[in-house]
Amino acid sequence: MTTLKRVDVHVEGIVQGVGFRPFVCSLAGRLGLSGRVRNDVNGVHIEIEGARTGVEEFLTALERDAPALSEIERVTVVSGEPAGHRGFTIATADPGALRTAAALADLAPCDDCLRELADPASRRHRYPFTGCANCGPRLGITRARPRKRPHTTMAPFAMCADCAREHDDPDSRRFGDPATCCPACGPALKLRDARGTELCGDPVTCAAALLRTGRVIAVKGPGGYHLACAAACEPAVAALRGRKHRAEQPFTVMAAGLAQARRCCEIDDTAAALLTGPARPVVLLPRRPGAPVAPSVAPGHRILGIALPATPLHHLLLAELGEPLALTGGDVAGEPIAYEDADALTRLSGIADAFLTHDRAICTRADDTVLRPLAGEITVLRRGRGHAPDPIALRRPAPRAVLACGATIDSTFCLLDGRRAHLSQRLGHLDDHDTLRAFASAVGHYCDLLGIRPEIVAHDAHPGHLATRHALQLTAAGHVAVQHHHAHVAACLADNGDLGPVIGVVLDGIGHGPDGTIWGGEFLRADLTGYQRLAHLAQVPMPGGPAAARRPLRMAAAYLGDHPCDPGLRDRLAGALQQAGTGRETPLTSSAGHLFDALAALLGLRDTITYEGQAAAELEQHADPAETAAYPAALTTGEGPLVVETADLVRAAADDLAAGTATAAIAGRFHNGLAAAVTRTCVALRQATGLTAVALTGALFQNALLLDRTLQRLRAAGFRVLRHVRVPPGDGGLSLGQAAVAAARDHPVAPA
């Protein structure tokens, strides 16, 4: 006699909108089980009954064989009495079952959809909007909850009978997918000239022909417009740079597939998996000698940002073109990327020669995610399409919902509800009015999609930051001010599921210090509730105030002081100080970013900064990674915090420069010297505090050479080291740290 068994199963995590219910239905049918499955407010609820052995196999396979896009956090199983279900059904979702399904990241086309795209026998052959429940647009087309067709930008397109059958069939991979369409009923692609007039012929074929003649095309992607040209065509790349006023910042290279990408970059198995994964990020990888890429794509860089097609449209265009594209965001001089058609035509018509566009609206703009292999791990440098707004699970739940407003530069925001922290895509620099408006709009949109109503608003402690001003305007919630560098350490703790306390090493550009100076090279004793400044890089004046950030030779003069150096260099330094003027604001700063600026200027690499972090990136690229020598930096002790005498590093570099040492060797010795100084300081602080864990955070730890050298030394000294993996080390991860601090202060807990 068969023994019957009944269990109720509740699955939490990312299990809505990823094909989980059809998977459950198919699994139950294969095992001859009865019951039903439905979405509820916290995940998926399953009632399953039948032969005991079948139910037990079901519970095993539920987690083992779950859809690739799902992420199971918790499975709860409760036994009950068989209810006499006949067959297995997908039941109507609970009214509250909206949260996770409404906020999934946009994904690249899956293999099944790509096969349809290439199959002449398929009704979706060469259709640029092919997708299914396992891939395609999500966040970018969703206007409101629940994530059904009427609440997306697909609402104007009525499904044909064939698409409707697929949408309603639990055995179809398009079951419940609101983006289901085909050429008979879906969006249509068009190619327009710079005045908006539609051009004749197949849009993809004609666009590729224009690209081959050196033209610039604005291409409508999943989160906004990109500007594209043939990557190997120097005149086209140079024209794009000139029209966009982006003089030096590297462009992305998009290749048709791995074979083409491998001709541009060195790609190992890890990098290949990243490039071909569903997020389709930009991955920073070593550039191959002789790569078929114009010099202006990434001038002076040994690495390239490489990506594979993110949409069916990109696949079609790259296949037609037969060579890689150079891509950059569809914006001008730091504005938010254009995502509405009329705005794109207005703002980009002076840059693009043509527009490859379509009539499906984009609801949420998002730039591409950028990843970099760093010291044996993959670190997110910019969170965007494919990652946002997928949640980051925190170790301890927040008692109340939190909105954290992040930083003014590389702005993001974070919505924290329970254990789930939803870190937004990067939105840009808030000192641009349009970006600030886009930031405020995105906050409201996320709150609606996620069903979160913040009761606490966290923000930077600097009252002048635009993100802080926005936070203080939200009067319906309580406010928590978080010091900039404490938020960096908290972001690293949250990234690693750690509660602290740790020695937090924060090396970044600038942040408001409570002592009235500008911090940026800090050693903090920190947990999620508070911090203490134990040490810092030596403070130096910023000649001419904030303008010194754009004139790095001024910082070189500040570090060198009256140190003897070459007469020619001394004249350059004197000229820089004269330009800065006398009697003007000269705030003190401990900024590690300005230390790198000084070295880059000293070595003749960079006299003017044109984008954030430029000098530091170029110094890393210039450094000889084989160099093992390290410049010494004294550690000064006194009544207050320890001080790392970073002027020692600059002066040693000046001495080597005067002696004729190669600048690549000098840059290598500088990196090694700073890593050694960080380690020596942490050893001293361990002796004083007993702390044995170090958290490395701040934008300077996006530098592969510095991170690698510092990790090696700290681990050799016996430290447990935390570093960023899931969220950016720079200001793009700051809002997560602010949210974690606000939640911890709302309900402090003792470290586990």
Coordinates of all heavy atoms in Angstrom, one line a residue, residues 366-415:
A366 N 19.1 53.0 -17.0 CA 20.2 52.3 -16.3 C 21.4 52.2 -17.2 O 21.3 51.7 -18.3 CB 19.7 50.9 -15.8
D367 N 22.6 52.6 -16.6 CA 23.8 52.4 -17.3 C 24.2 50.9 -17.2 O 23.7 50.1 -16.4 CB 24.9 53.3 -16.8 CG 25.6 54.1 -17.9 OD1 25.7 53.5 -19.0 OD2 26.0 55.2 -17.6
D368 N 25.3 50.5 -17.9 CA 25.8 49.2 -17.8 C 26.5 48.9 -16.5 O 27.2 49.8 -15.9 CB 26.8 48.9 -19.0 CG 26.1 49.0 -20.3 OD1 24.9 48.7 -20.4 OD2 26.8 49.5 -21.3
T369 N 26.4 47.7 -16.0 CA 27.2 47.3 -14.9 C 28.7 47.1 -15.3 O 28.9 46.6 -16.4 CB 26.7 45.9 -14.3 OG1 25.4 46.2 -13.7 CG2 27.6 45.4 -13.3
V370 N 29.6 47.5 -14.5 CA 31.1 47.3 -14.8 C 31.7 46.5 -13.7 O 31.6 46.8 -12.5 CB 31.8 48.7 -14.8 CG1 33.3 48.5 -15.1 CG2 31.2 49.6 -15.9
L371 N 32.4 45.4 -14.1 CA 33.1 44.5 -13.2 C 34.6 44.5 -13.5 O 35.0 44.7 -14.6 CB 32.5 43.1 -13.3 CG 31.0 42.9 -13.2 CD1 30.7 41.4 -13.4 CD2 30.5 43.4 -11.9
R372 N 35.4 44.2 -12.5 CA 36.8 44.0 -12.7 C 37.3 42.9 -11.8 O 37.1 42.9 -10.6 CB 37.6 45.3 -12.4 CG 39.0 45.2 -12.8 CD 39.8 46.5 -12.5 NE 41.1 46.4 -13.0 CZ 42.1 47.3 -12.8 NH1 41.8 48.4 -12.0 NH2 43.3 47.1 -13.3
P373 N 38.1 41.9 -12.4 CA 38.8 41.0 -11.6 C 39.9 41.7 -10.7 O 40.7 42.4 -11.3 CB 39.4 40.0 -12.6 CG 38.7 40.2 -13.9 CD 38.3 41.7 -13.8
L374 N 39.8 41.6 -9.4 CA 40.7 42.2 -8.5 C 41.3 41.2 -7.5 O 40.5 40.7 -6.7 CB 40.1 43.4 -7.8 CG 39.7 44.6 -8.7 CD1 39.0 45.7 -7.8 CD2 40.9 45.3 -9.3
A375 N 42.5 41.0 -7.5 CA 43.2 40.2 -6.5 C 42.4 38.8 -6.3 O 42.2 38.5 -5.1 CB 43.3 40.9 -5.2
G376 N 42.1 38.1 -7.4 CA 41.5 36.8 -7.2 C 40.0 36.8 -7.0 O 39.4 35.7 -6.9
E377 N 39.3 38.0 -7.0 CA 37.9 38.1 -6.8 C 37.4 39.0 -7.9 O 38.1 39.7 -8.6 CB 37.5 38.6 -5.5 CG 37.9 37.8 -4.3 CD 36.8 36.7 -4.0 OE1 35.8 36.7 -4.8 OE2 37.0 35.9 -3.1
I378 N 36.1 39.0 -8.1 CA 35.4 39.9 -9.0 C 34.7 41.0 -8.2 O 33.9 40.7 -7.3 CB 34.4 39.1 -9.9 CG1 35.0 38.0 -10.6 CG2 33.7 40.1 -10.9 CD1 36.1 38.3 -11.6
T379 N 35.1 42.2 -8.5 CA 34.5 43.3 -7.8 C 33.6 44.1 -8.7 O 33.9 44.4 -9.9 CB 35.6 44.2 -7.2 OG1 36.3 43.5 -6.2 CG2 35.0 45.5 -6.6
V380 N 32.4 44.5 -8.2 CA 31.5 45.4 -9.0 C 32.0 46.8 -8.8 O 32.1 47.4 -7.7 CB 30.1 45.3 -8.4 CG1 29.2 46.3 -9.1 CG2 29.5 43.9 -8.6
L381 N 32.4 47.5 -9.9 CA 32.9 48.8 -9.9 C 31.7 49.8 -10.1 O 31.7 50.9 -9.6 CB 33.9 49.1 -11.0 CG 35.2 48.2 -10.8 CD1 36.3 48.7 -11.8 CD2 35.8 48.3 -9.4
R382 N 30.7 49.4 -10.9 CA 29.6 50.2 -11.2 C 28.4 49.3 -11.2 O 28.4 48.3 -12.0 CB 29.7 51.0 -12.4 CG 28.5 52.0 -12.7 CD 28.7 52.9 -13.9 NE 28.6 52.2 -15.1 CZ 29.1 52.6 -16.3 NH1 29.7 53.7 -16.3 NH2 28.9 51.9 -17.4
R383 N 27.4 49.6 -10.4 CA 26.2 48.7 -10.4 C 25.1 49.3 -11.4 O 24.8 50.5 -11.3 CB 25.6 48.6 -9.0 CG 24.5 47.7 -8.8 CD 24.2 47.6 -7.3 NE 22.9 46.9 -7.1 CZ 22.7 45.6 -6.9 NH1 23.8 44.8 -7.0 NH2 21.6 45.1 -6.6
G384 N 24.7 48.5 -12.3 CA 23.7 49.0 -13.2 C 22.8 47.9 -13.8 O 22.5 47.0 -13.1
R385 N 22.6 48.0 -15.1 CA 21.7 47.0 -15.8 C 22.3 45.6 -15.6 O 23.4 45.3 -15.7 CB 21.7 47.3 -17.3 CG 21.0 46.3 -18.2 CD 21.3 46.5 -19.6 NE 22.7 46.5 -19.9 CZ 23.5 45.5 -19.9 NH1 23.1 44.3 -19.6 NH2 24.8 45.6 -20.1
G386 N 21.3 44.7 -15.3 CA 21.7 43.3 -15.1 C 21.9 43.0 -13.6 O 21.8 41.8 -13.2
H387 N 22.2 44.0 -12.8 CA 22.4 43.8 -11.3 C 21.3 44.5 -10.5 O 20.7 44.0 -9.6 CB 23.8 44.3 -10.9 CG 24.8 43.3 -11.3 ND1 25.7 42.8 -10.3 CD2 25.1 42.7 -12.4 CE1 26.5 41.9 -10.9 NE2 26.2 41.9 -12.2
A388 N 21.1 45.8 -10.8 CA 20.1 46.6 -10.0 C 18.7 46.2 -10.6 O 18.5 46.1 -11.8 CB 20.3 48.1 -10.2
P389 N 17.7 46.1 -9.7 CA 17.7 46.3 -8.2 C 17.8 45.0 -7.4 O 17.2 44.9 -6.3 CB 16.4 47.0 -8.0 CG 15.5 46.3 -8.9 CD 16.3 45.9 -10.1
D390 N 18.4 43.9 -8.0 CA 18.4 42.6 -7.2 C 18.9 42.8 -5.8 O 19.9 43.6 -5.6 CB 19.3 41.6 -8.0 CG 18.6 41.1 -9.3 OD1 17.4 41.4 -9.4 OD2 19.3 40.5 -10.1
P391 N 18.3 42.2 -4.8 CA 18.6 42.5 -3.4 C 19.9 41.9 -3.0 O 20.3 40.9 -3.5 CB 17.4 42.0 -2.7 CG 16.9 40.9 -3.5 CD 17.1 41.3 -4.9
I392 N 20.5 42.6 -2.0 CA 21.7 42.1 -1.3 C 21.2 41.7 0.1 O 20.6 42.5 0.8 CB 22.8 43.2 -1.2 CG1 23.3 43.5 -2.6 CG2 23.9 42.7 -0.3 CD1 24.1 44.8 -2.7
A393 N 21.3 40.5 0.5 CA 20.8 40.0 1.8 C 21.8 40.4 2.9 O 23.0 40.2 2.8 CB 20.7 38.5 1.8
L394 N 21.2 41.1 3.9 CA 22.0 41.5 5.1 C 21.9 40.5 6.2 O 21.0 39.7 6.2 CB 21.5 42.9 5.6 CG 21.6 44.0 4.6 CD1 21.3 45.3 5.3 CD2 23.0 44.1 3.9
R395 N 22.9 40.5 7.0 CA 23.0 39.5 8.1 C 21.9 39.7 9.1 O 21.3 38.7 9.6 CB 24.3 39.6 8.8 CG 24.6 38.5 9.8 CD 26.0 38.4 10.2 NE 26.2 37.6 11.4 CZ 27.4 37.5 12.0 NH1 28.5 38.0 11.5 NH2 27.5 36.7 13.1
R396 N 21.6 40.9 9.5 CA 20.5 41.2 10.4 C 19.4 42.1 9.8 O 19.7 43.0 9.0 CB 21.1 42.0 11.6 CG 22.1 41.2 12.4 CD 21.5 40.1 13.3 NE 22.4 39.3 14.0 CZ 23.0 39.5 15.1 NH1 22.8 40.7 15.7 NH2 23.9 38.7 15.6
P397 N 18.2 41.8 10.1 CA 17.1 42.5 9.5 C 17.0 43.9 10.1 O 17.3 44.2 11.2 CB 15.8 41.7 9.8 CG 16.2 41.0 11.0 CD 17.7 40.7 11.0
A398 N 16.5 44.9 9.2 CA 16.2 46.2 9.7 C 14.9 46.3 10.4 O 13.9 45.7 9.8 CB 16.2 47.2 8.5
P399 N 14.8 46.9 11.6 CA 13.5 46.9 12.2 C 12.4 47.7 11.4 O 11.2 47.5 11.5 CB 13.8 47.6 13.6 CG 15.2 47.4 13.8 CD 15.8 47.4 12.4
R400 N 12.9 48.8 10.8 CA 12.0 49.7 10.0 C 12.6 49.9 8.6 O 13.8 49.8 8.4 CB 11.8 51.0 10.7 CG 11.0 50.9 12.0 CD 10.7 52.3 12.5 NE 11.9 52.9 13.0 CZ 12.0 54.2 13.4 NH1 10.9 55.0 13.3 NH2 13.1 54.7 13.9
A401 N 11.8 50.2 7.6 CA 12.3 50.4 6.3 C 13.2 51.7 6.2 O 12.8 52.7 6.8 CB 11.1 50.6 5.3
V402 N 14.2 51.6 5.4 CA 15.2 52.7 5.3 C 15.4 53.1 3.9 O 15.5 52.2 3.0 CB 16.6 52.2 5.9 CG1 17.6 53.3 5.8 CG2 16.4 51.8 7.4
L403 N 15.5 54.3 3.6 CA 16.0 54.9 2.4 C 17.3 55.6 2.7 O 17.4 56.4 3.6 CB 15.0 55.9 1.8 CG 15.6 56.8 0.7 CD1 16.0 56.0 -0.6 CD2 14.7 57.9 0.3
A404 N 18.4 55.2 2.0 CA 19.7 55.8 2.1 C 20.0 56.6 0.8 O 19.9 56.0 -0.3 CB 20.8 54.8 2.4
C405 N 20.4 57.8 0.9 CA 20.5 58.7 -0.3 C 21.9 58.8 -0.9 O 22.1 59.5 -1.9 CB 20.0 60.1 0.0 SG 18.2 60.1 0.3
G406 N 22.9 58.1 -0.3 CA 24.2 58.0 -0.9 C 25.0 59.3 -1.0 O 24.9 60.2 -0.1
A407 N 25.8 59.4 -2.1 CA 26.7 60.5 -2.2 C 26.4 61.4 -3.5 O 25.5 61.0 -4.3 CB 28.1 60.0 -2.4
T408 N 27.0 62.5 -3.6 CA 26.7 63.4 -4.7 C 27.4 62.9 -5.9 O 26.9 63.0 -7.0 CB 27.2 64.8 -4.4 OG1 26.5 65.3 -3.3 CG2 27.1 65.8 -5.6
I409 N 28.7 62.4 -5.8 CA 29.4 61.8 -6.9 C 29.1 60.3 -7.0 O 29.1 59.6 -6.0 CB 30.9 62.1 -6.8 CG1 31.1 63.6 -6.8 CG2 31.7 61.4 -7.9 CD1 32.6 64.0 -6.6
D410 N 29.0 59.8 -8.2 CA 28.7 58.3 -8.4 C 27.5 58.0 -7.5 O 27.5 57.0 -6.8 CB 29.9 57.5 -8.0 CG 30.8 57.3 -9.1 OD1 30.5 57.7 -10.3 OD2 32.0 56.9 -8.9
S411 N 26.4 58.7 -7.6 CA 25.3 58.6 -6.7 C 24.5 57.3 -7.0 O 24.3 56.9 -8.1 CB 24.3 59.8 -6.9 OG 23.8 59.8 -8.2
T412 N 24.1 56.7 -5.9 CA 23.1 55.6 -5.8 C 22.2 55.8 -4.6 O 22.5 56.7 -3.8 CB 23.8 54.2 -5.7 OG1 24.5 54.2 -4.4 CG2 24.8 53.9 -6.8
F413 N 21.2 55.1 -4.6 CA 20.4 55.1 -3.3 C 20.1 53.6 -3.0 O 20.3 52.7 -3.8 CB 19.1 55.9 -3.5 CG 18.2 55.4 -4.5 CD1 17.2 54.3 -4.3 CD2 18.2 55.9 -5.8 CE1 16.4 53.9 -5.3 CE2 17.3 55.4 -6.8 CZ 16.5 54.4 -6.5
C414 N 19.7 53.4 -1.7 CA 19.5 52.1 -1.3 C 18.2 52.0 -0.5 O 18.0 52.9 0.4 CB 20.6 51.6 -0.4 SG 20.5 49.9 0.2
L415 N 17.3 51.1 -0.8 CA 16.1 50.8 0.0 C 16.3 49.5 0.7 O 16.5 48.5 0.1 CB 14.9 50.7 -0.9 CG 14.4 52.1 -1.5 CD1 13.4 51.9 -2.6 CD2 13.7 52.9 -0.4

